[in-house]
Amino acid sequence: MKKRSFTILLTALLTFSVMLAGCSGGNNSNKATGDPAPTQTAKAEDKTPAAEEPTAITIMLPLNTSETPPDTIKKEIEKLTNTKLTYQFFPADSYEEKLNTAFATGSLPQVTYLKNQSTFVQMKEAIKDGQFWEIGPYLSEYPNLNKLKPEILNNTKVEGKPYSLYIGRPLARQGMIYRKDWADKLGLKAPANVDELFAMAKAFTEQDPDGNGQKDTTGIADRNELVYGAFKTVSSWFGTPNTWGTKDGQLQPEFTFPQYIDTMDFFKELRSGGYMNQDFAATSKTDAVNMFTSGKAGMYIGGSMQDIDSLNKDLIKNFPDAVLDTHSMVAGPDGKFAQWMIPGYNNLVLFPKSAVKDEAELKKILAFFDKMMTPELANMMFWGIEGTHYTVVEGKAKVGDNKELIEREVKPFKDSVIGESETNGMYESYNTLPGRIHAEELLKENVKVGVPDPTAALDSATYTEKGVELQQLITDATYKYMYGQIDKAAFEKAVEDWKSRGGSKIIEEYNAAAAK
């Protein structure tokens, strides 16, 4: 009997204790001692996963504006991707030097943008040495990255493996942007061939197209860049192969073809006549652009015809009545049209193993880029914030009127967008400027006569090791020839030097790779 009574008493005490505990959970008495109240609500909260910490990512990329952007776009991207981003912007004109220094000191960040195809070649040996992550095995895990065009990814492979994401571009954007108001005043049409191109440059120099009574204009504003300046575009009009071509049944570099010499002669005559800026070999892109937009030159050749928007914006500040147009169908001496094409990208992104410590970190970074290939984020990086930097008209992006705001806040990020509109779903441009509308039409025409680089997807160990250094021999000789400092025999001697220092081996290796 006593045992039963004790049991009843113990049960009653336990029940009373539980009731007290339940009551204390409904007030703040636990705060006095700091002990948590063991309530059902607390247990439910314990099961809720904690918010994932933002992924910290540092990104290095070239800056094509005069100043670094504010955080307007960056903050929006961080919110939408749950990241903490650090952008390291460096001026495009000196970017290669900064890139090489960072590589040499082992201080490349997790995400490293290159500058162009040439800087990619410089990095190939390091890629082969295993200093960058191979990303091919992971792409299928990311639905958006998996949309990247195989034919373009193929042009970025090293020893058959992809290590980089690409920034897509139209295959052939090159052409000329010119002062149509000057041409109309002088009774000139867009040049149908290279002879008429020369005649326009001469007329823009000698016939006072701006009507100020002074001889203060010239035909072409060019810059210190044989590829993305005027030289390569004009060279393709002359019929020069795109970097490499076939001669006598074998791949040979472009500078061994007679059309390359013809192009040098063309520029030599332009310069000696005063029909282009005399110091073009030492003129930066910024200075060449300023020369054009300040009304000192009538033609800007090479680069992208889509640059007409920014050139027009700056030009009409100085000359409100100026009119620009675009053109690219310029026939060579043989009457044929040609336009050199890029391999489908204008820049690449690499992931250094010195900065990305393991596979888990790499996957988080790739997940970020996968999100960046959604239409919402691709549009934000390329066009900015809807309603602030652009509006949607007829399913296309119409850039806002505040061009200075767009250039300051959006343009620095624009060249970092992975893929292209077909793969990332971003808006195409809604254009109202007649010259830009014309440019978009010409992009399609250019591809019809486009000439690819036959070595874009080929590999040469010697070119990877010595190609950039050897190319400098040809670059120096090309400028010296156009400046009248050396003759044809001296240029051909430079070509022989190129061959003897490793060029012959490059020719051999490319031809062997092409034969496989």
Side-chain angles (χ1 to χ4, degrees), residues 19 191 204 419:
M19 290 175 63
F204 282 175

Side-chain angles (χ1 to χ4, degrees), residues 343-417:
Y345 65 87
N346 79 329
N347 203 355
L348 299 171
V349 188
L350 291 172
F351 308 96
K353 288 185 176 178
S354 59
V356 182
K357 62 181 181 297
D358 54 31
E359 182 183 63
E361 185 177 341
L362 176 66
K363 285 188 171 185
K364 285 186 177 181
I365 294 170
L366 290 177
F368 163 73
F369 277 106
D370 191 65
K371 291 176 184 175
M372 296 302 290
M373 278 191 69
T374 60
E376 180 183 14
L377 289 164
N379 280 323
M380 187 171 293
M381 291 291 278
F382 197 87
W383 297 112
I385 298 170
E386 186 177 352
T388 300
H389 303 107
Y390 76 99
T391 54
V392 179
V393 179
E394 297 177 8
K396 297 182 178 181
K398 182 181 179 182
V399 176
D401 295 330
N402 192 338
K403 301 298 191 292
E404 286 74 19
L405 178 71
I406 294 166
E407 178 149 335
R408 184 172 66 253
E409 295 187 350
V410 183
K411 186 173 172 56
F413 297 100
K414 201 168 190 172
D415 292 334
S416 67
V417 178

Side-chain angles (χ1 to χ4, degrees), residues 51-73:
E52 187 177 344
E53 283 293 313
T55 300
I57 304 175
T58 302
I59 303 170
M60 174 181 173
L61 69 169
L63 179 68
N64 289 296
T65 57
S66 58
E67 57 184 37
T68 56
D71 289 343
T72 311
I73 300 296

Side-chain angles (χ1 to χ4, degrees), residues 128-324:
K128 291 177 183 178
D129 287 344
Q131 297 185 47
F132 295 90
W133 283 93
E134 178 194 348
I135 63 171
Y138 306 105
L139 293 181
S140 62
E141 299 178 26
Y142 303 94
N144 297 310
L145 294 180
N146 203 37
K147 295 176 185 176
L148 290 170
K149 295 179 179 180
E151 64 272 24
I152 299 178
L153 280 175
N154 189 54
N155 288 335
T156 73
K157 288 180 178 178
V158 177
E159 296 184 327
K161 300 174 183 178
Y163 290 81
S164 55
L165 302 176
Y166 71 81
I167 293 84
R169 287 293 181 271
L171 291 171
R173 299 184 297 163
Q174 299 76 230
M176 59 183 281
I177 300 169
Y178 71 101
R179 290 289 297 270
K180 188 177 185 300
D181 56 321
W182 285 9
D184 290 345
K185 180 181 178 180
L186 301 180
L188 300 172
K189 294 182 179 180
N193 53 53
V194 288
D195 289 337
E196 290 185 11
L197 176 67
F198 189 94
M200 177 176 277
K202 182 177 181 180
F204 282 175
T205 305
E206 296 182 344
Q207 296 182 27
D208 189 24
D210 59 356
N212 68 355
Q214 301 177 40
K215 193 174 181 180
D216 58 355
T217 58
T218 191
I220 299 170
D222 195 20
R223 55 180 163 132
N224 57 348
E225 172 61 73
L226 290 181
V227 177
Y228 299 102
F231 184 85
K232 191 171 181 69
T233 295
V234 173
S235 186
S236 71
W237 292 340
F238 268 91
T240 308
N242 182 5
T243 311
W244 287 73
T246 302
K247 182 168 63 174
D248 301 327
Q250 194 179 47
L251 285 173
Q252 297 283 346
E254 62 184 350
F255 47 81
T256 63
F257 287 75
Q259 295 92 334
Y260 191 95
I261 302 288
D262 294 341
T263 308
M264 291 195 299
D265 285 333
F266 182 84
F267 279 93
K268 181 180 179 181
E269 191 173 352
L270 279 174
R271 182 178 181 274
S272 63
Y275 310 143
M276 67 182 299
N277 50 316
Q278 298 293 288
D279 59 346
F280 66 95
T283 301
S284 69
K285 177 181 179 179
T286 300
D287 289 341
V289 166
N290 289 340
M291 183 179 176
F292 184 82
T293 57
S294 64
K296 299 301 181 184
M299 284 185 275
Y300 184 82
I301 302 176
S304 169
M305 290 183 289
Q306 295 167 316
D307 289 341
I308 188 172
D309 287 322
S310 57
L311 293 179
N312 183 75
K313 172 183 69 72
D314 292 335
L315 178 65
I316 60 176
K317 288 179 186 176
N318 301 317
F319 307 95
D321 296 328
V323 178
L324 295 181

Side-chain angles (χ1 to χ4, degrees), residues 18-30 36-41:
V18 170
M19 290 175 63
L20 285 174
C23 291
S24 67
N27 59 38
N28 295 326
S29 61
N30 62 302
T39 64
Q40 188 174 358
T41 303

Side-chain angles (χ1 to χ4, degrees), residues 226 466-479 498:
L226 290 181
K466 299 180 178 180
V468 175
E469 171 193 338
L470 290 175
Q471 181 58 40
Q472 194 59 48
L473 285 174
I474 303 301
T475 298
D476 291 344
T478 300
Y479 280 125
W498 179 88

